[in-house]
Amino acid sequence: MINHINNNTPRAGCQDVWNAFMLKDAEFILGSDIPICNSTKVIIPHELISYEDAKHIYKTKSKKEPDFFVDAFVHFYIDDQKFDGPRDGIWNNPYKALDIIRHFAGAITPDFSTNADFPDAIKRYNTFRMRAFGHWLITNNITVINNVRWGTIETWDYCFDGIPLNSIISIGTVASGLHKLENRPPFEEGLRRLIKVIKPSTIIVYGSSKYSVFNELKQTGINIISFPSKTSLAFSRRKEVNYE
């Protein structure tokens, strides 16, 4: 893997509308220009909490307890509009996001969408933003785990770039539509490609990991840790209440 150091500085008087400040001291993958985001978490988080819920906790606690701490990792496995809006989104208002995330144990890098029907330029840009935002969090002393998101086969040329070998990574299965049999082969193909390229030591799965491909990976020695989604937890509690 070849990379180069970013030494660019904006011209005096220019407004940074592209968030170039996030790339200070970043290294890039030559060819794709995806910044490298070094995962800094070496043990499994105790809990995952969505950015939407983290915002609510911050709003509730920050005034009375300015130094409050929650031992959970913030994740972005939610609809993009809930964290990437034009006014209050993490990309357009990153310092507000940083103020929130500081009160938690760390963060999984954003899950900017790379849907199959998106133009390739958008999918590349969103992959770029995942790594850039993660790198920036690290420079602000936030502990980070890389989210990995792939799309159809044309994204494989860049969607795994910028992630260290043998690291802990995270993926989401909630929005993958894996309950439909026709969606499983492309997901599984991408996951096997991920294993080949990144060789992760541990995969955190947000959502269900009750699919044969994960059992296959476990047999190769990869640690698979699954966190149930918020919807799944709510459904389980509702079943318990109904049973009682």
Side-chain angles (χ1 to χ4, degrees):
M1 184 179 290
I2 303 173
N3 58 67
H4 59 85
I5 306 294
N6 171 48
N7 289 315
N8 295 330
T9 54
R11 299 194 313 273
C14 287
Q15 185 177 357
D16 183 6
V17 298
W18 305 111
N19 288 2
F21 68 90
M22 289 186 178
L23 302 174
K24 183 179 180 182
D25 299 323
E27 295 181 341
F28 290 77
I29 300 300
L30 189 63
S32 68
D33 277 345
I34 301 294
I36 294 173
C37 178
N38 291 300
S39 298
T40 54
K41 183 67 172 174
V42 295
I43 59 175
I44 305 303
H46 296 298
E47 184 181 356
L48 302 185
I49 186 169
S50 73
Y51 181 68
E52 184 180 31
D53 288 339
K55 284 200 300 181
H56 177 72
I57 292 171
Y58 175 81
K59 184 177 180 180
T60 303
K61 287 192 171 186
S62 59
K63 290 183 180 180
K64 294 181 179 179
E65 302 176 56
D67 296 321
F68 81 89
F69 174 76
V70 178
D71 190 11
F73 261 54
V74 177
H75 75 78
F76 297 86
Y77 298 119
I78 52 180
D79 291 340
D80 291 59
Q81 64 192 27
K82 294 180 179 179
F83 68 88
D84 194 29
R87 293 181 56 192
D88 202 27
I90 64 171
W91 191 255
N92 289 329
N93 203 342
Y95 285 100
K96 182 174 182 179
L98 180 62
D99 285 342
I100 294 168
I101 295 171
R102 282 188 192 281
H103 292 275
F104 294 82
I108 294 172
T109 57
D111 190 44
F112 295 116
S113 290
T114 57
N115 296 352
D117 58 348
F118 283 12
D120 188 62
I122 298 297
K123 290 184 277 193
R124 287 177 181 271
Y125 178 55
N126 281 347
T127 302
F128 170 90
R129 292 200 295 162
M130 291 181 209
R131 308 292 187 270
F133 196 88
H135 169 77
W136 179 68
L137 288 179
I138 291 170
T139 64
N140 283 280
N141 300 313
I142 303 296
T143 304
V144 162
I145 293 173
N146 272 300
N147 170 56
V148 187
R149 182 171 181 136
W150 60 95
T152 43
I153 191 169
E154 75 279 358
T155 69
W156 296 1
D157 288 339
Y158 56 84
C159 65
F160 308 124
D161 284 356
I163 298 176
L165 296 175
N166 309 123
S167 59
I168 297 174
I169 63 166
S170 180
I171 65 173
T173 61
V174 173
S176 300
L178 297 182
H179 60 285
K180 296 181 179 179
L181 292 176
E182 63 268 24
N183 291 334
R184 294 184 192 178
F187 174 85
E188 293 173 354
E189 289 172 13
L191 183 57
R192 292 189 181 99
R193 179 66 177 179
L194 179 159
I195 300 303
K196 183 177 180 180
V197 174
I198 301 175
K199 300 177 175 62
S201 60
T202 298
I203 301 177
I204 294 170
V205 181
Y206 180 75
S208 178
S209 61
K210 295 179 180 179
Y211 300 100
S212 59
V213 67
F214 290 110
N215 292 328
E216 173 189 319
L217 297 182
K218 288 178 182 177
Q219 292 174 7
T220 68
I222 298 173
N223 193 22
I224 306 292
I225 305 295
S226 180
F227 287 86
S229 69
K230 185 178 179 181
T231 301
S232 176
L233 287 173
F235 184 72
S236 297
R237 293 191 188 104
R238 187 170 61 188
K239 286 178 65 177
E240 291 173 2
V241 170
N242 290 339
Y243 179 78
E244 292 171 358

